[in-house]
Amino acid sequence: MRIKTIAIISAVCFAMSPISWGRAAPPAVERLRYENRLLKAELALAGKPALYLVLDLDQKKVYLKGNGYVLKEWQVRGARLWGPQAPAKPVKLLNKSALLEPRREKIKPKKPEEEEEATDTFDIKALELKDMPVSYSLSMSEDVLISVRPLREGVLSFPARLCRSVKWYATRPLLTVWNAVWGKPFTAIEVTLDEADAQALYWAVPEGIENLIYYISDD
Amino acid sequence: MRGLKGARPPASGHSPRRNIQGLRPPAIKVLVILLIGLFLTEAAGFYIAGRGRRNTSGPRAATPSRAQNAALKKKIAGLSPGGIHIVIDTGRNRLFLKNGKRTLREAVISSGSGSILKDPSGKRQWVFDTPRGVYTVKTKFVHPNWIKPDWAFIEEGEKVPKGIAGRVEEGVLGDYALGFGNGYFIHGTLYTRLLGRNVTHGCIRVGDEDLKAVFNASPVGAKVLIF
């Protein structure tokens, strides 16, 4: 009896999952309209003396731009989407978070009587690219959450991917419900990058940077 | 058979099955209810995610043509710096002197360490990051002197002078300096072995030969894009 109940609930869940909803491809007109809105937004951003990020999932690229000029681009190795289409306007990076966040070194001012020892070796205590995390989340305005994950290969890559998938499908619905309670939409995007690229992206995007997210979902 | 012989009928008239259920600890019941609740919430989450749409309220513009979108792309590309400009990658500690899309020179540099210095009084704090963004060359100096800011004295444990006297230091910024605003410069260095590392207080340190080339090529007003 209990097994039957669980089976029915599972079937209902699966039927309601975003994957199984039969969605028609967006008409070309909608695509043009959406692209037009994003291009207008980018034109406004490109006119400002600030950097901005473009996550183009159609081209599978992440671009860091300034004045419309591509300063850096990274190849997206994989992507996963959740929830409604990201808004066709700039979203601001509110917060970067990682399990192991890089820590800034605190300089201790020298005491007046302290003499500097003559030495040939330098112990550089600085925040460098290699200190950046490879797995982190970027919380954007408009309730958009971008998770960046490293592309791993080898024996442990499969269990790692499996764990990530379980976490994704367990936590995304809960966050969706939580946001729905407050009347807000929730869009989650997971992008997989090469490890070095994930570190470089973390380095390159300061909090407050504006972002454009290009992708046409099928809803 | 002996067991059956000794078995007694339930006193309250309940069936044995119900009795077994009644013996189940309440914690398990709570757990089952919580699991069902979680399961239903998950199901609701899947449903909302599948059906949800963002409110795209606003004037419904006329359908743009492909040509209009292409024109917008061209406009965006037109904003890119066309002539001589400088691109600085603070992560890899590289400077690129460019003319349009062509790279004229690539140089190894030192950029901000990201370290924090606190004034012992606790009133001020400095974060030694190289600023990121789009800037322009505002000033150019030959044989520049360094006007030491307060943090330079505090870091060395020295008393901060009141006026400009006592702040001027010669020969530490190399032969040239290009200012791009807020006291930040692209300048030379005595510590050439630290080129390629993040060690500065926010300025960009460049080796002598590269600095000369950048200085000579970049006019005041040239764009400096730092990321």
Side-chain angles (χ1 to χ4, degrees):
Chain A
M1 182 66 184
R2 244 173 268 145
I3 292 168
K4 204 174 165 185
T5 313
I6 290 168
I8 290 167
I9 293 172
S10 303
V12 169
C13 284
F14 182 71
M16 288 194 304
S17 78
I19 307 156
S20 60
W21 282 108
R23 295 174 180 179
V29 172
E30 274 306 308
R31 198 171 267 272
L32 275 175
R33 237 184 230 140
Y34 178 76
E35 191 186 24
N36 186 263
R37 263 185 263 148
L38 280 167
L39 286 169
K40 280 179 179 165
E42 183 172 353
L43 185 62
L45 283 181
K48 293 179 188 171
L51 306 181
Y52 61 95
L53 196 75
V54 177
L55 176 58
D56 189 338
L57 293 178
D58 289 344
Q59 302 289 324
K60 294 195 170 110
K61 295 265 185 174
V62 184
Y63 301 101
L64 181 69
K65 290 183 170 187
N67 284 161
Y69 179 90
V70 178
L71 291 163
K72 190 91 182 167
E73 65 177 67
W74 298 280
Q75 182 73 45
V76 174
R77 300 289 179 190
R80 196 156 30 187
L81 309 168
W82 177 273
Q85 173 92 48
K89 60 180 182 182
V91 289
K92 193 175 264 186
L93 173 59
L94 304 176
N95 178 254
K96 294 196 279 189
S97 58
L99 194 62
L100 298 168
E101 285 189 23
R103 297 186 70 178
R104 290 179 184 273
E105 186 69 28
K106 283 183 182 153
I107 299 171
K108 284 182 190 158
K110 280 181 200 154
K111 287 176 183 147
E113 66 274 14
E114 215 172 292
E115 284 286 319
E116 200 166 349
E117 282 176 38
T119 172
D120 277 349
T121 56
F122 274 97
D123 178 21
I124 296 169
K125 290 172 183 165
L127 212 52
E128 296 191 286
L129 193 55
K130 61 178 169 48
D131 305 319
M132 298 299 115
V134 293
S135 184
Y136 51 89
S137 295
L138 307 171
S139 303
M140 308 282 179
S141 58
E142 303 286 332
D143 298 288
V144 177
L145 181 71
I146 299 176
S147 310
V148 178
R149 302 286 175 253
L151 180 72
R152 289 191 201 279
E153 281 165 1
V155 189
L156 292 174
S157 68
F158 178 71
R161 270 206 312 274
L162 193 68
C163 286
R164 247 162 45 195
S165 287
V166 169
K167 191 184 157 202
W168 173 267
Y169 287 110
T171 55
R172 298 309 94 165
L174 296 180
L175 287 168
T176 302
V177 172
W178 175 255
N179 273 38
V181 167
W182 300 103
K184 294 188 285 184
F186 173 66
T187 302
I189 302 167
E190 186 184 84
V191 290
T192 306
L193 301 176
D194 288 332
E195 278 194 23
D197 290 351
Q199 286 182 306
L201 179 63
Y202 189 93
W203 176 277
V205 289
E207 284 173 7
I209 193 171
E210 301 269 14
N211 305 269
L212 288 170
I213 301 165
Y214 277 81
Y215 76 89
I216 305 277
S217 79
D218 294 342
D219 62 350
Chain B
M1 285 304 279
R2 277 183 66 188
L4 278 174
K5 206 176 176 181
R8 289 181 187 175
S12 60
H14 288 301
S15 68
R17 185 180 156 79
R18 279 190 181 170
N19 262 351
I20 291 163
Q21 277 182 337
L23 287 172
R24 187 185 291 158
I28 293 176
K29 271 188 184 172
V30 172
L31 194 68
V32 168
I33 290 166
L34 281 176
L35 277 175
I36 290 171
L38 181 70
F39 216 72
L40 290 174
T41 314
E42 290 271 341
F46 271 87
Y47 179 79
I48 296 164
R51 304 287 288 175
R53 273 177 173 275
R54 281 183 182 273
N55 179 16
T56 50
S57 60
R60 185 106 174 141
T63 306
S65 64
R66 281 182 202 285
Q68 277 175 304
N69 284 0
L72 276 171
K73 282 180 190 168
K74 211 172 170 183
K75 265 189 187 175
I76 294 166
L79 293 172
S80 300
I84 293 284
H85 62 279
I86 299 163
V87 175
I88 293 167
D89 179 346
T90 58
R92 287 172 55 224
N93 282 306
R94 293 288 185 279
L95 179 150
F96 303 90
L97 177 67
K98 294 197 149 206
N99 188 0
K101 287 184 177 172
R102 204 157 55 94
T103 302
L104 304 177
R105 199 173 184 106
E106 182 179 337
V108 181
I109 58 155
S110 290
S111 60
S113 67
S115 303
I116 297 173
L117 175 68
K118 275 187 181 168
D119 189 332
S121 70
K123 287 178 187 165
R124 292 183 295 175
Q125 176 179 292
W126 293 269
V127 180
F128 297 129
D129 275 335
T130 296
R132 324 273 176 89
V134 181
Y135 303 90
T136 51
V137 173
K138 289 193 163 70
T139 49
K140 288 176 76 174
F141 299 100
V142 180
H143 301 302
N145 289 332
W146 185 30
I147 312 296
K148 286 170 79 175
D150 289 0
W151 54 256
F153 295 96
I154 290 165
E155 190 176 1
E156 293 300 319
E158 294 169 7
K159 202 178 166 206
V160 180
K162 288 263 185 327
I164 201 160
R167 286 182 184 260
V168 182
E169 200 165 316
E170 290 177 10
V172 290
L173 300 184
D175 293 335
Y176 309 97
L178 300 96
F180 54 92
N182 293 328
Y184 291 101
F185 288 88
I186 297 168
H187 60 71
T189 180
L190 301 172
Y191 308 102
T192 48
R193 63 178 164 167
L194 294 179
L195 289 172
R197 305 296 304 270
N198 293 82
V199 289
T200 78
H201 295 89
C203 285
I204 308 291
R205 293 182 193 164
V206 189
D208 291 344
E209 286 304 309
D210 291 322
L211 181 63
K212 191 176 178 183
V214 172
F215 184 87
N216 288 334
S218 310
V220 169
K223 286 212 164 146
V224 182
L225 297 107
I226 308 175
F227 68 98

